[in-house]
Amino acid sequence: MSDAAAASSGRNYHGGAGAGPRRRPLILRTDVLTMMLVLAGLTLAVTILAQAGLVSTSFVKLLGKTLCLCLAALAMDLVWGYTGILSLGHFAFFGIGGYSIGMWLMWERTEGIVTASLARAPLPPTPLEIEEAIGTQIFGVVGSSEIPWLWAFAGSLPLQLAFAVLVPGLVALVFGWLAFRSRVAGVYLSILTQAGTLALSLWLFQNDSGLRGNNGLSGLQNIPGLGHVPQSTLSLWFLWASAGALALAYLAAAWTVSGRFGSVLRGIRDDEARVRFLGYEVEHYKLAIFTGTAMAAGIAGALYYPQAGIVNPAEIAPIASIYLAVWVAIGGRGRLYGAVIGAAIVSLASSWFTGGGAPDIDLGFYVIKWTDWWLVLLGTSFVMVTLFAPKGLGGLVDLWTNRRSTRRDDLGPDHGSLRAEEETP
């Protein structure tokens, strides 16, 4: 072994005085620091502009919802881009989180309306009468007045918040344990996740599901106890909460993929059989990342739907999970910032094209209406990225950062090792 290699080996295993460069703290990593600064700057700028009346409440809500979708895409990138599990059902966890918080929002708002109405009666209402009136108000749209067992804890905000995280995690844990221990992988696992999502959405469409069937849960933008607070202020609060959740999730994701755990995940993605041969419990790693990302998606859904105002079974349909995979692919899977960039750009572009922002194009013989052609444009973009830019939009960031980093002839035989650092005494 050469002196340089021996020195490098000594630094790797013994550290201490004279050791080579240590790994920079997580918060000082370029991508992490940039993401934190961008989120803080965006939140501050939008807040100032909104207070000055220069941006509308609907635009603030759009940005808040976009940040929630970025959080869901970040979770998808961890499970697909880093671990190689193409889950076509991760948006179902997003919807479950939305339903969990939506149940509390509908219950509390309806209870307040019912209580105020019955207070004018000659005799004070009994708890049973209040409960029956609430049931009629919520479930009368599906021809029922009975309160399903699913709503047993709908009046408790702490429990419903916990359910928004724990229920997606529990569903993912059970599903993942059954699938991974059976060595289901590849396209078969993708089909299985998609089938499970389809079954869940079809169940939710039924009126007797206990969640109002096709009507879903509505009026979620009206936060109980905050009726005196204008929507312009509530939208800013949710924007701050969404930005904070995305920042914390990005830090957690960056920490997860930067250590040995992240190396094992990438190893599973690239060559699962070899990782298993080396003695790692591949199923445990898959189950951990699958469950953790499901819980993150549940948090994103719990923040998204109070800003959207409504959640229904169509939000959980398999096509939504496919969109999630498309966002990550366009942004660049295997790059945390790529997932965020992809989700943000596609979400904002979708709102612009389908919301009437993009002008129609008159070709004389045909008028291109972007509300009809947006999905075609999105699909074409996905195909083009897959064929000609597999690194996605995140690859543009890589090109810029590579020009500012060490030249290629300074790299050692292993991609990522620096010969200059290895020769440092």
Side-chain angles (χ1 to χ4, degrees), residues 115-361:
T115 301
S117 176
L118 294 179
R120 295 192 294 268
L123 296 176
T126 64
L128 181 59
E129 289 176 331
I130 294 177
E131 184 174 321
E132 290 178 348
I134 293 174
T136 301
Q137 285 287 329
I138 295 178
F139 303 104
V141 70
V142 293
S144 176
S145 60
E146 296 184 3
I147 299 176
W149 63 270
L150 286 173
W151 293 71
F153 303 102
S156 173
L157 177 59
L159 285 178
Q160 291 302 132
L161 288 175
F163 290 157
V165 180
L166 297 180
V167 173
L170 180 61
V171 173
L173 181 66
V174 174
F175 177 90
W177 184 79
L178 293 173
F180 300 144
R181 72 186 294 269
S182 301
R183 302 287 179 89
V184 180
V187 65
Y188 300 103
L189 182 60
S190 299
I191 293 174
L192 194 59
T193 57
Q194 191 174 40
T197 303
L198 178 60
L200 176 61
S201 64
L202 291 177
W203 175 71
L204 289 172
F205 269 114
Q206 299 178 12
N207 287 339
D208 59 357
S209 65
L211 293 169
R212 291 168 39 106
N214 185 47
N215 301 279
L217 308 181
S218 57
L220 307 185
Q221 74 278 6
N222 302 311
I223 310 300
L226 297 177
H228 61 286
V229 179
Q231 285 293 318
S232 58
T233 301
L234 287 176
S235 63
L236 285 175
W237 291 356
F238 273 105
L239 175 68
W240 301 340
S242 302
L246 178 58
L248 292 176
Y250 196 94
L251 287 171
W255 177 81
T256 298
V257 302
S258 64
R260 190 183 74 171
F261 188 88
S263 299
V264 175
L265 294 181
R266 285 185 285 268
I268 294 172
R269 176 195 63 192
D270 297 335
D271 195 334
E272 181 177 329
R274 176 173 291 185
V275 174
R276 182 176 282 108
F277 178 76
L278 292 174
Y280 289 96
E281 295 286 349
V282 170
E283 288 73 24
H284 293 173
Y285 283 88
K286 283 185 171 182
L287 189 58
I289 200 67
F290 193 76
T291 303
T293 54
M295 297 170 73
I299 294 173
L303 286 169
Y304 178 91
Y305 288 107
Q307 300 177 79
I310 185 173
V311 54
N312 57 52
E315 305 284 339
I316 302 180
I319 188 64
S321 295
I322 295 176
Y323 288 154
L324 191 60
V326 169
W327 300 342
V328 174
I330 291 177
R333 69 188 185 99
R335 295 166 178 78
L336 298 179
Y337 52 84
V340 175
I341 292 173
I345 290 180
V346 175
S347 174
L348 293 174
S350 175
S351 299
W352 189 61
F353 280 106
T354 61
D360 297 336
I361 301 177

Side-chain angles (χ1 to χ4, degrees), residues 26-175:
L26 182 64
I27 194 63
L28 295 181
R29 274 179 38 183
T30 303
D31 63 318
V32 176
L33 183 59
T34 301
M35 183 60 64
M36 298 302 107
L37 291 176
V38 168
L39 286 175
L42 174 67
T43 305
L44 180 61
V46 173
T47 300
I48 294 174
L49 292 174
Q51 293 292 338
L54 299 178
V55 295
S56 64
T57 300
S58 60
F59 182 75
V60 176
K61 286 188 175 183
L62 173 62
L63 289 180
K65 291 186 293 183
T66 299
L67 294 179
C68 294
L69 296 177
C70 290
L71 175 52
L74 187 66
M76 182 66 179
D77 192 38
L78 282 174
V79 76
W80 181 33
Y82 282 89
T83 317
I85 302 173
L86 178 54
S87 171
L88 296 181
H90 247 57
F91 214 82
F93 304 128
F94 186 91
I96 291 174
Y99 266 100
S100 297
I101 194 63
M103 291 167 67
W104 177 79
L105 290 170
M106 277 208 73
W107 180 275
E108 284 295 309
R109 180 170 57 87
T110 305
E111 184 179 37
I113 295 173
V114 167
T115 301
S117 176
L118 294 179
R120 295 192 294 268
L123 296 176
T126 64
L128 181 59
E129 289 176 331
I130 294 177
E131 184 174 321
E132 290 178 348
I134 293 174
T136 301
Q137 285 287 329
I138 295 178
F139 303 104
V141 70
V142 293
S144 176
S145 60
E146 296 184 3
I147 299 176
W149 63 270
L150 286 173
W151 293 71
F153 303 102
S156 173
L157 177 59
L159 285 178
Q160 291 302 132
L161 288 175
F163 290 157
V165 180
L166 297 180
V167 173
L170 180 61
V171 173
L173 181 66
V174 174
F175 177 90

Side-chain angles (χ1 to χ4, degrees), residues 386-397:
T386 303
L387 293 178
F388 303 108
K391 292 184 179 181
L393 297 175
L396 299 177
V397 179

